[in-house]
C-alpha cells in the first residue's frame, strides 16, 4: 500500500517484481489508471518466454487485453521455452484452452501434447485426485479436444 499512497501523493512510483502484482491489483481496485499503466508497462518490459504463461494468467485475471496479446505473441514465438517454464503447469484451464486454440504456436503437436499431459498431472494433484488416465482426461475436459492429433506422425501418436 505504501507504493500506492506514494504514487497518489507524489506521482512517483518504483515498481519491482515483488510488488507489481499487488500494486496492479490495488490500482485496479481503487481505479487509478495512471498507476495501472505503470504496472502494465513494467510487466511488458519484463515479459520473457519463461514468465509468459504466468503473466498471461495475470493479464486475463486483471482484464489487460494488450498485455495478454503480448504474452500470447511471446508464447507463439518461443513455445518450447514457455511450456518448459515452471509456471506453465500452474495456469488455469481457460488460459490453457486459450493457448491451445491458437494455430500460431511454434512447436510440434506431440511436444505440446506432452506439456498438456504434464499440466493435467499437476491439476490432478491440485484437485487431490489420483493421477490416472481417467482423471487426467477429466481435468483436461475440452482442452483435450484442442490437441490436433492428426498433425502428429504415426510414430509420435503411438509413442504418446
Amino acid at each position: 500500500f505504501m507504493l500506492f499512497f506514494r504514487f497518489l501523493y507524489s506521482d512517483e512510483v518504483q515498481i519491482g517484481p515483488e510488488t507489481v502484482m499487488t500494486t496492479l491489483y490495488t490500482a485496479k481496485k481503487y481505479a487509478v489508471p495512471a498507476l495501472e499503466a505503470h504496472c502494465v508497462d513494467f510487466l511488458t518490459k519484463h515479459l520473457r518466454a519463461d514468465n509468459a504463461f504466468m503473466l498471461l494468467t495475470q493479464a486475463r485475471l486483471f482484464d489487460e487485453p494488450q498485455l495478454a496479446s503480448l504474452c500470447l505473441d511471446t508464447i507463439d514465438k518461443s513455445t518450447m521455452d514457455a511450456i518448459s517454464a515452471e509456471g506453465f503447469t500452474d495456469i488455469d484451464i481457460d488460459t490453457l484452452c486459450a493457448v491451445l486454440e491458437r494455430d500460431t504456436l511454434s512447436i510440434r503437436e506431440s511436444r505440446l501434447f506432452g506439456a498438456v499431459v504434464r499440466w493435467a498431472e499437476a491439476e490432478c494433484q491440485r484437485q487431490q485426485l489420483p493421477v490416472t488416465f481417467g482423471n487426467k482426461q477429466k481435468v483436461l475436459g475440452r482442452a483435450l479436444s484442442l490437441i490436433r492429433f492428426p498433425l502428429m506422425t504415426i510414430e509420435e501418436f503411438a509413442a504418446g
Side-chain angles (χ1 to χ4, degrees):
F1 278 115
M2 291 305 294
L3 280 172
F4 180 71
F5 289 117
R6 188 176 302 136
F7 180 79
L8 286 180
Y9 291 107
S10 69
D11 210 30
E12 290 178 18
V13 68
Q14 285 192 327
I15 299 169
E18 319 78 38
T19 58
V20 67
M21 289 305 179
T22 52
T23 305
L24 180 56
Y25 171 78
T26 307
K28 286 212 169 269
K29 184 175 180 176
Y30 295 105
V32 184
L35 185 55
E36 282 180 46
H38 278 291
C39 292
V40 171
D41 185 49
F42 178 88
L43 292 170
T44 301
K45 285 180 180 153
H46 291 83
L47 173 61
R48 302 177 316 271
D50 66 351
N51 67 7
F53 274 107
M54 185 272 295
L55 289 181
L56 177 58
T57 301
Q58 298 298 322
R60 290 167 54 89
L61 178 70
F62 290 124
D63 191 29
E64 289 292 340
Q66 241 182 328
L67 179 58
S69 180
L70 288 170
C71 291
L72 288 168
D73 289 345
T74 301
I75 291 166
D76 282 349
K77 290 179 189 128
S78 305
T79 310
M80 196 64 207
D81 291 338
I83 65 167
S84 299
E86 212 175 289
F88 170 72
T89 55
D90 298 330
I91 63 174
D92 60 279
I93 186 72
D94 293 332
T95 302
L96 179 66
C97 288
V99 171
L100 293 177
E101 286 168 349
R102 299 175 69 76
D103 59 3
T104 45
L105 300 173
S106 54
I107 189 170
R108 296 192 63 81
E109 206 69 16
S110 59
R111 291 243 171 128
L112 186 61
F113 177 64
V116 169
V117 169
R118 262 191 12 258
W119 180 90
E121 290 166 354
E123 184 64 15
C124 283
Q125 290 173 343
R126 276 191 290 276
Q127 294 186 24
Q128 298 179 332
L129 297 168
V131 181
T132 64
F133 176 77
N135 285 338
K136 287 190 277 188
Q137 209 172 7
K138 179 181 156 193
V139 297
L140 279 170
R142 75 178 189 93
L144 192 57
S145 66
L146 297 173
I147 298 290
R148 294 166 290 215
F149 292 104
L151 294 180
M152 294 183 196
T153 65
I154 292 170
E155 294 78 18
E156 288 172 331
F157 186 79

